[in-house]
Amino acid sequence: MPDVVSNEDLHALAGEYALGTLDYDERKGASALLEVDPTFLGIVRIWEKRLGDLHLMVESVEPEPQLWERIRPKVAAIEQMPRGIAPEPDKTAELFEAAPEGEAASTAVTAVPANYETTAPDTETPPAAIAEAELQLAELAALRPAPAEQDGSALPPVSESAPAPDDQPSPAESQIERGFVPPPPMLRRSPPMPLTQHVRKSGRGWMAASLLLGLVAILLAGLIGAWRFFPERLPAKLRAYTVLNIPAPPPPAPPAPPARPAPAPFQE
Amino acid sequence: MATFSSVEISLMLASVANGDADALERLYLATSAKIYGVVLRIVRRHDLAADVMEDCYLHIWKTAGRFDPKLISPMSWMIAIARARAIDLARRPDVAASDGEAEIADSESPGSLSRRELTDELKRLLTCVGRLEPERQRMLLLAYYGAFTRDQLASKIDMPVDLIKAALRLSLFEIEQCLTS
């Protein structure tokens, strides 16, 4: 392989690596590059992801039943990697060299621009992170429409209340009567996961903001209603002339004495 | 055989990352046939495919904690692992030399696809692949499913190796442009 590889060559090399068309020497070189060049690793991962959907069109073939029994006893001996450490390329050198399997120490790779394995250091305890991930996945699963072969619907009903009977005001009307303005309903659909989490996170903030604004609106409406209907009951600080900074209305004048006709200026 | 959704597979992987060996068995039961199918088309021998499968699931056990469902689907993640190992094995000189012992005939055409499996990403990819010039399209799919080297492709398609390399690179470039536009 040449010492200096152009950017185009790097992309092409990564694409062919993922495609599988490199010969033995090229593949060996590319594997080595994967371990030292995080950019190259990132591009390879992108290609693996792009082409990965083609697997859906490959026919399944059942392996022999004893295969799992061969794998199972070896599981306990393998130490699992912790979550969220810096990603490393797959260490496939042992297959290359036809060496016996062994857990060779992989060189850690520092931050990778585009990689489909998590790079964030693990700041929360693993069980909490897993529980949250499982919860999010479960919520997403609940939102998806049930596939044909499963019994029962996994989709929770969108409208929570049954239609109100005629003799009672509908829930919406009675809510408005009490001055409560319900927040707009959140759309239920099955978006891809990142969007769901984003909507959920920003949804909480927006819901709180709309509730707060609604509360302010109720208070203002109540105050204006009080000004209109029973201003005398309000303490001085809340009265219209204080709040709006307008001159106070004159106190009601004492009833005027019966007016005497003014002496005519001209008496005849 | 029941088909599991991406979410269900991701949940199994999360449990595997937790150290749950039973979850690994459930994952194996859910995914082994598909992965075996992918691997077998590359190494073309059952004994080699079994070796790859073992290596693959042990690696999945080891690294399940690093899988991030936001970045890639679980099956694509697992299949990338399986393909990398299968291709490395197929390229090993002693294995490559024994290509004549292949038990599986290579075929160009992929299997059938139910409508449920036709995801948006696959539709987009197939659209982009479909826009390739027919000869190059055939070459790309043959290359992907069988993971053939350029030399092997050259003998199959009866085209000079240099042209194969240029054609593959052009196809990859066009697919990238199509997917990112």
Side-chain angles (χ1 to χ4, degrees):
Chain A
M1 278 183 60
D3 287 344
V4 177
V5 183
S6 75
N7 195 38
E8 280 171 1
D9 282 343
L10 217 57
H11 277 264
L13 188 69
E16 283 205 76
Y17 178 88
L19 200 56
T21 50
L22 299 179
D23 65 28
Y24 177 70
D25 288 321
E26 289 172 322
R27 194 168 171 89
K28 207 164 166 186
S31 286
L33 195 59
L34 277 178
E35 296 186 21
V36 299
D37 187 345
T39 308
F40 183 64
L41 175 66
I43 303 171
V44 166
R45 292 286 181 248
I46 290 172
W47 273 113
E48 283 176 339
K49 178 185 156 118
R50 272 180 194 148
L51 299 172
D53 287 313
L54 289 173
H55 80 257
L56 286 166
M57 304 185 62
V58 173
E59 270 177 36
S60 299
V61 177
E62 287 284 345
E64 54 161 14
Q66 302 91 304
L67 183 54
W68 174 247
E69 294 308 316
R70 194 175 123 180
I71 297 174
R72 191 160 58 98
K74 301 186 179 174
V75 169
I78 291 180
E79 192 179 324
Q80 292 184 296
M81 308 237 68
R83 298 168 163 270
I85 63 167
E88 347 171 328
D90 291 343
K91 189 74 178 182
T92 55
E94 56 260 28
L95 279 172
F96 255 138
E97 308 304 322
E101 72 201 331
E103 298 305 318
S106 309
T107 48
V109 176
T110 51
V112 172
N115 190 304
Y116 56 62
E117 291 177 347
T118 175
T119 59
D122 191 19
T123 51
E124 28 177 20
T125 59
I130 295 162
E132 196 195 298
E134 285 178 342
L135 184 66
Q136 286 171 346
L137 289 168
E139 282 172 324
L140 183 65
L143 285 174
R144 280 179 60 245
E149 46 228 36
Q150 290 182 12
D151 296 336
S153 172
L155 227 157
V158 174
S159 61
E160 306 256 330
S161 56
D166 289 343
D167 51 334
Q168 290 175 10
S170 72
E173 285 171 6
S174 58
Q175 281 173 348
I176 289 171
E177 269 184 1
R178 290 195 297 268
F180 173 74
V181 179
M186 287 188 67
L187 292 171
R188 292 193 189 247
R189 52 197 173 100
S190 53
M193 203 174 311
L195 189 60
T196 309
Q197 289 177 359
H198 176 73
V199 166
R200 216 174 287 280
K201 281 186 185 146
S202 60
R204 282 200 212 103
W206 285 114
M207 269 186 69
S210 67
L211 277 172
L212 193 63
L213 280 176
L215 201 61
V216 170
I218 295 161
L219 289 173
L220 278 175
L223 188 62
I224 292 171
W227 288 344
R228 172 71 181 82
F229 293 111
F230 43 89
E232 316 83 48
R233 293 217 209 142
L234 290 172
K237 284 214 178 105
L238 284 179
R239 297 217 185 163
Y241 49 87
T242 314
V243 175
L244 297 174
N245 204 24
I246 52 178
R260 287 190 303 131
F266 302 108
Q267 285 191 343
E268 336 231 300
Chain B
M1 182 179 117
T3 313
F4 292 84
S5 66
S6 277
V7 173
E8 288 160 320
I9 310 270
S10 294
L11 279 171
M12 290 183 211
L13 278 171
S15 296
V16 169
N18 243 346
D20 185 354
D22 288 336
L24 185 70
E25 181 165 4
R26 288 199 305 277
L27 182 72
Y28 177 87
L29 291 170
T31 58
S32 57
K34 174 65 85 177
I35 296 193
Y36 196 71
V38 168
V39 167
L40 196 58
R41 286 178 76 130
I42 294 172
V43 298
R44 294 193 284 284
R45 274 168 46 182
H46 287 284
D47 56 341
L48 297 177
D51 288 343
V52 173
M53 290 284 280
E54 179 182 323
D55 205 52
C56 190
Y57 279 92
L58 292 177
H59 182 83
I60 288 169
W61 167 258
K62 184 179 168 193
T63 60
R66 299 206 318 250
F67 164 68
D68 187 349
K70 294 193 292 288
L71 299 173
I72 189 173
S73 79
M75 279 308 291
S76 290
W77 182 70
M78 291 171 60
I79 279 171
I81 291 172
R83 274 180 61 89
R85 280 166 162 68
I87 297 170
D88 285 340
L89 184 59
R91 293 292 170 270
R92 231 171 64 186
D94 54 332
V95 173
S98 70
D99 205 30
E101 296 165 25
E103 298 164 359
I104 312 296
D106 43 85
S107 68
E108 297 168 29
S109 57
S112 60
L113 195 66
S114 76
R115 287 188 83 221
R116 258 175 16 93
E117 292 171 301
L118 200 61
T119 61
D120 286 337
E121 286 89 358
L122 179 59
K123 267 188 226 165
R124 227 174 294 137
L125 178 65
L126 290 176
T127 306
C128 292
V129 171
R131 288 190 187 150
L132 295 174
E133 186 262 328
E135 272 300 311
R136 286 195 281 114
Q137 185 187 128
R138 180 177 160 242
M139 188 193 305
L140 184 98
L141 291 174
L142 187 65
Y144 178 81
Y145 287 116
F148 295 113
T149 63
R150 295 186 217 110
D151 286 338
Q152 289 169 333
L153 287 171
S155 65
K156 284 188 194 302
I157 300 180
D158 192 23
M159 195 188 279
V161 179
D162 291 342
L163 277 182
I164 298 262
K165 177 170 173 175
L168 284 172
R169 294 195 166 197
L170 179 59
S171 300
L172 288 171
F173 175 75
E174 286 179 2
I175 288 174
E176 178 165 25
Q177 292 296 302
C178 174
L179 284 174
T180 55
S181 65

